[in-house]
Amino acid sequence: MPPIHVPPTAVPPAHVGPFALGTFAAPVGRPFAGLVTGEVVRELPGTVLDLLADWDAALPRLGELATRVGGTRWRLDDLRVLPPLAPGQVLQSGANYRQHVVDLVAAERHSVHGRTTAEARADAEAMMDERIARGTPYVFLGSTRAVCGAYDDVRLPARGGQHDWELELAAVIGRPAWRVPRSEALAHVAGYTICNDLTTRDLVHRADLKGIGTDWYASKNAPTFLPTGPYLVPAAFVGNPMDLRITLRHNGVTRQDESTKDMIFDVARLVEYASSVQPLLPGDLLLTGSPAGNGAASGVFLTAGDVLEGEISGLGGQRNRCVGTED
């Protein structure tokens, strides 16, 4: 059964700059790329991925279209909001918020190694300072098949039970990037969107493969486990990606509330690192990590009927209802 649409009631479109891009579906007809200005969506030829393939030419053209009358237009409320693009690949950054990682390491040092709370926290902070000075980002691949819309239902699989949220800023690549230096990296980012990189915590570590590492395939890639969007907002309208607020509410309770300033490796460094391993292409999605406040920290996990609402300043917001596999 496909995800059930939840109407976009939480996010005023005016918060996403002069214009944004998205993919939409009318009650009848095929999905289409749309130019969002206020509460109006103008149909565009081709796909968002087509626009990203020639982003240097597309961006000024979109700016002109945003000021014109005519063309096929829709009221935003009359459309289903789909993921803004079909990404070529999904790259996910782990352990990239200082406060988040300090909390995790300190808890482990306190419970497993018998360190006092103060000692455990000092150990964790020293580790993070060392990582910032000499470490490299931790990036792995996700599945494009986990992507769903910003207002679609999230289907909680029966496999595993500790389903958790991870709201993240995601950079959308707009120009090919291969071994780009950090100083030039942001020029390859077309824009930004929101991703909630859901994780089933009790599937992360394999009991039958101790010491091997993490099983991100099983724990992160269930269908609908990557709500994305609602829009792609051009980088020029976002401003400094390292000064955005990330907020997630679970059943109305604020769980995550942090600035992107807390990233260990900034967006430019992540692009530099990811492009040193393989070429990045227009339409690739680079998630930048999740701040503190995940359910694992408090032992609170998702169940059917829960509602997640996430926002990042300047990018709009998401609202996803959780349903069970049998719903």
Side-chain angles (χ1 to χ4, degrees):
M1 184 170 125
I4 302 167
H5 174 52
V6 180
T9 57
V11 189
H15 290 180
V16 297
F19 65 82
L21 290 173
T23 302
F24 306 91
V28 177
R30 294 183 176 181
F32 61 89
L35 184 68
V36 182
T37 53
E39 298 182 4
V40 176
V41 178
R42 178 187 184 124
E43 281 195 38
L44 298 171
T47 67
V48 171
L49 199 57
D50 293 332
L51 295 168
L52 291 169
D54 192 9
W55 186 241
D56 288 330
L59 185 58
R61 189 167 68 248
L62 292 169
E64 293 175 6
L65 283 174
T67 63
R68 289 184 191 174
V69 297
T72 303
R73 295 169 181 264
W74 296 84
R75 289 177 56 250
L76 183 59
D77 287 346
D78 293 334
L79 299 172
R80 178 178 175 187
V81 181
L82 303 176
L85 75 159
Q89 65 177 345
V90 176
L91 298 100
Q92 298 166 307
S93 303
N96 197 41
Y97 274 77
R98 191 178 192 279
Q99 185 64 41
H100 183 197
V101 181
V102 165
D103 289 346
L104 293 175
V105 172
E108 190 267 346
R109 288 295 177 98
H110 176 64
S111 63
V112 177
H113 299 285
R115 305 282 280 172
T116 68
T117 300
E119 290 171 340
R121 193 152 198 88
D123 289 349
E125 289 175 349
M127 287 176 61
M128 288 308 98
D129 291 341
E130 176 69 16
R131 186 170 179 229
I132 290 168
R134 297 179 180 80
T136 58
Y138 176 35
V139 178
F140 49 92
L141 288 173
S143 172
T144 59
R145 297 180 185 179
V147 173
C148 72
Y151 309 110
D152 288 340
D153 284 352
V154 166
R155 304 192 68 80
L156 303 176
R159 196 162 174 262
Q162 297 178 352
H163 310 300
D164 200 354
W165 54 83
E166 293 189 32
L167 201 67
E168 307 193 17
L169 174 69
V172 182
I173 300 301
R175 300 177 181 92
W178 175 228
R179 296 175 178 169
V180 297
R182 183 177 178 276
S183 60
E184 300 173 12
L186 292 185
H188 296 263
V189 175
Y192 297 91
T193 191
I194 305 171
C195 286
N196 194 349
D197 184 21
L198 297 170
T199 304
T200 302
R201 299 290 177 192
D202 48 341
L203 296 183
V204 172
H205 298 287
R206 293 275 297 267
D208 60 332
L209 291 171
K210 291 181 180 179
I212 295 296
T214 46
D215 189 347
W216 295 130
Y217 175 73
S219 61
K220 283 186 174 288
N221 292 307
T224 74
F225 256 39
L226 192 61
T228 300
Y231 314 117
L232 187 166
V233 180
F237 305 151
V238 175
N240 182 3
M242 301 311 301
D243 192 17
L244 304 177
R245 201 78 194 174
I246 296 179
T247 306
L248 181 134
R249 293 179 298 278
H250 168 234
N251 295 335
V253 177
T254 299
R255 302 291 190 181
Q256 292 181 288
D257 186 14
E258 184 59 86
S259 169
T260 54
K261 291 177 182 178
D262 195 48
M263 282 190 201
I264 295 171
F265 302 107
D266 63 13
V267 176
R269 177 69 178 104
L270 293 173
V271 172
E272 177 188 52
Y273 174 78
S275 73
S276 74
V277 176
Q278 62 171 301
L280 306 182
L281 299 177
D284 285 349
L285 204 59
L286 175 58
L287 280 61
T288 60
S290 181
N294 304 121
S298 58
V300 176
F301 297 105
L302 297 171
T303 60
D306 287 358
V307 174
L308 293 170
E309 295 172 290
E311 300 172 6
I312 298 181
S313 49
L315 302 182
Q318 303 183 340
R319 187 178 189 276
N320 302 99
R321 182 171 65 98
C322 299
V323 300
T325 53
E326 71 280 0
D327 293 343

